[in-house]
Amino acid sequence: MKKLLLLVVCVFFTHTTFSQEIKSIYTDIFEVIYSEIYQQPLQVMYNVECPTGDVSRRGMDFKKYEGVITSDNEDYKDNIWDKGHIAPAADFNCDEEKLRGTFSYLNCALQHQGLNRGPWKELERFERDLSKVYAFVNVTVTIHFEDKPENWLPTGALVPIGFTKIIWCDGEKFSFYFPNRDVSGQDWSLFKID
């Protein structure tokens, strides 16, 4: 009986702790499911709101979100990992408040610089181009992880292994998978999965 009680307590504690460390957060511009354990988003959902804005990013930097354990500047220092916007800043640069809202560690993943500055950036341009044609463009990004010790940074965050981006517009669906590695020079369309 003692072993059964201990097992029940362990299962309850593990479940309770895990659920408390996964947060669903709704902001004015995106929804996020965030892992405090990984210090990374698990999924981000947003609608492209401003495909032709031109508000300057000058002076903006990522901020922590009150009440959530997130990554921080130390996780991105002196390594190959960019602060990759998941909901792109350029999709929300029609006013300063919206643009500033994208600069949250809730909306930031450890993304290889060769991915973030290459095919990922081009795919973000594609989704903005779609929003110039379609009235409604909805995007869901899922961030994938392996729970291996070599993927954990000494600063505490877990490096994602890849990203799936699904773009919906007027019944059309575009799906892409990107490994989180140097894919610079590759065309974004090569990562289409359906």
Side-chain angles (χ1 to χ4, degrees):
M1 181 68 175
K2 202 177 216 181
K3 286 183 181 179
L4 178 60
L5 181 59
L6 180 61
L7 176 64
V8 169
V9 168
C10 287
V11 168
F12 176 76
F13 179 75
T14 302
H15 176 72
T16 302
T17 302
F18 182 74
S19 66
Q20 290 172 343
E21 293 167 343
I22 301 292
K23 308 244 182 193
S24 293
I25 300 162
Y26 300 86
T27 73
D28 291 338
I29 56 175
F30 60 84
E31 298 175 30
V32 61
I33 300 170
Y34 197 89
S35 170
E36 292 185 302
I37 297 170
Y38 295 169
Q39 297 178 20
Q40 296 286 285
L42 302 175
Q43 192 169 66
V44 177
M45 294 134 301
Y46 60 93
N47 298 320
V48 178
E49 292 187 15
C50 190
T52 59
D54 60 359
V55 174
S56 173
R57 299 181 185 200
R58 190 170 312 232
M60 293 188 191
D61 200 5
F62 285 86
K63 305 283 186 222
K64 294 186 72 85
Y65 191 85
E66 190 175 331
V68 181
I69 300 167
T70 65
S71 63
D72 59 35
N73 201 47
E74 292 302 308
D75 296 308
Y76 300 88
K77 188 186 276 186
D78 301 325
N79 59 36
I80 59 172
W81 308 114
D82 276 355
K83 295 175 187 171
H85 275 92
I86 302 302
D91 287 11
F92 299 93
N93 67 352
C94 44
D95 71 58
E96 187 173 333
E97 184 179 342
K98 283 187 187 287
L99 180 61
R100 194 172 296 283
T102 68
F103 283 87
S104 165
Y105 282 109
L106 292 177
N107 183 40
C108 178
L110 290 154
Q111 197 169 56
H112 193 287
Q113 60 193 10
L115 170 60
N116 185 47
R117 302 172 195 182
W120 189 262
K121 180 180 178 180
E122 296 306 314
L123 180 56
E124 291 173 342
R125 183 173 291 129
F126 173 70
E127 71 190 50
R128 283 190 298 281
D129 288 345
L130 287 172
S131 72
K132 294 172 189 172
V133 176
Y134 295 98
F136 183 76
V137 176
N138 176 266
V139 183
T140 299
V141 179
T142 302
I143 299 91
H144 305 279
F145 298 89
E146 280 184 358
D147 194 14
K148 292 185 178 179
E150 64 266 20
N151 291 338
W152 290 90
L153 296 179
T155 52
L158 183 62
V159 177
I161 61 166
F163 303 87
T164 299
K165 181 178 277 201
I166 300 174
I167 304 169
W168 292 92
C169 45
D170 293 347
E172 288 196 62
K173 176 183 167 188
F174 302 90
S175 301
F176 302 86
Y177 176 79
F178 293 88
N180 196 15
R181 58 182 167 80
D182 188 1
V183 290
S184 54
Q186 296 184 42
D187 189 277
W188 61 271
S189 63
L190 297 174
F191 298 92
K192 195 166 188 303
I193 55 174
D194 68 353

